[in-house]
Amino acid sequence: MKAAVVNGFNQELEIKEVPIPELAYGEILVKIKACGVCHTDLHAANGDWPVKPKLPLIPGHEGVGIIEKVAEGVTSLKVGDRVGIPWLYSACGECEYCLTGRETLCPDQLNAGYSIDGGYAEYCKAPANYVVKVPEGLDFAEVSPIFCAGVTTYKALKVSEAKPGDWVAIYGIGGLGHVALQYAKAMGFNVIAVDIQDDKLELAKELGADITVNGLKNDPAQDIFDKVGGVQAAISVAVTQKAFEQAYSSVKRGGTLVVVGLPNADLPIPIFNTVLNGVTVKGSIVGTRKDLQEAVEFAAQGKVRTNIETQPLDNINEVLHRLEKGQINGRVVLTME
Ligand code: NAD
Ligand code: ZN
Ligand code: ZN
């Protein structure tokens, strides 16, 4: 099968023929139709994070397609079913986190396109118990980004504990941010979209943001306090430390900063203000299978739509260069035919 392979960090991915994965007990083989390109894939290819991916690596954790084969022990799915393979590729099912509905914290998890091969390929295998179904009628390319960008931001909004009617700020209107703001609207929040590029902010307006702020032209935290008195929750999905600092500063008393973007940086936080203002800072990592089912349902009901550009797998290097330079509005989705 054809796949895009990371052979070493900071190198071009190699498009090459590799064997179709062999199935073990309980696994399924998915013929991948589409796979979104997440900024995480760029971090993986560059070895940006303290925990490194396996090498060589087939990236991709928004792979969706049709089941072509099922191994012994698979009872919940059959050949022909439509599914997606998310970042949470598998978890142990037995630890305190798995047992308490917090499987994304499982210390023994595997991650698609990071610790195990993912969806930048014609086929990808996965344990049947951890894939999530794609409802009939949803286009594969359009639904693909829901499998990471969608579920991640939906979950971040949930853990922010903001209530309908509250103001929420989304910092970074890229692949994650452009769906984050739509989940936020659908959940009944008022939304401020912050980015440093006007074309991203135009998209945010089209998708329903109530207020947009260009963080290069204005001080976004000051602007947010002037306009709405601060936000109950700020979700930072940008890839620069500056955005996290500004997101922190835009939270009002009793509010929450949810940390989602993953620049390899520290977040210095003023202790005095955090204490006196009763501010919560929370990390949030993707979402559980249940969160993903819910996130997909929002898309199925037309409450969230992805702004996608499709590209053939062969163009992956050009796509990653553009992603690095901030030249993608929404999400690029690789298509396999
Ligand atoms: P992206 O490149 O598509 O989007 C980033 C956006 O941030 C761009 O629109 C960019 O213009 C904007 N930006 C840059 N500087 C900014 C600033 N100072 N203020 C406001 N906006 C700014 O990336 P993406 O695919 O959306 O991923 C974003 C980050 O989230 C990555 O670090 C990725 O690894 C991480 N991520 C985390 C999780 C998780 O579970 N926590 C899941 C998926 C992705
Ligand atoms: Zn992702
Ligand atoms: Zn576990």
Side-chain angles (χ1 to χ4, degrees), residues 63-81:
V64 293
I66 298 174
I67 297 181
E68 193 157 297
K69 225 192 240 182
V70 300
E72 207 188 322
V74 175
T75 53
S76 56
L77 293 166
K78 57 183 190 316
V79 170
D81 282 350

Side-chain angles (χ1 to χ4, degrees), residues 92-95 98 106:
C92 81
E94 291 169 359
C95 70
C98 285
C106 176

Side-chain angles (χ1 to χ4, degrees), residues 156 159-161 231-236 241 243-261 265-275 277-285:
V159 303
S160 79
E161 290 178 22
V231 289
Q232 179 61 36
I235 317 289
S236 184
Q241 187 199 42
F244 285 77
E245 290 174 358
Q246 293 171 334
Y248 172 89
S249 301
S250 57
V251 169
K252 70 181 189 183
R253 291 181 169 219
T256 299
L257 167 66
V258 186
V259 178
V260 176
D266 292 330
L267 173 58
I269 286 171
I271 294 171
F272 186 83
N273 287 343
T274 305
V275 174
N277 296 342
V279 169
T280 302
V281 177
K282 258 187 194 178
S284 187
I285 174 76

Side-chain angles (χ1 to χ4, degrees), residues 33-37 62 64 139-146 149 174-175 178-179 182 203 207 305-311 322 328-335:
K33 294 285 182 184
C35 185
V37 179
E62 291 182 349
V64 293
D139 178 76
F140 279 122
E142 285 171 8
V143 79
S144 160
I146 301 296
H178 90 286
V179 288
Q182 297 176 68
L203 177 64
L207 296 174
R305 74 168 173 90
T306 55
N307 191 63
I308 59 161
E309 169 193 331
T310 56
Q311 288 286 346
R322 284 173 55 207
I328 288 164
N329 208 355
R331 195 64 125 194
V332 167
V333 176
L334 303 172
T335 49

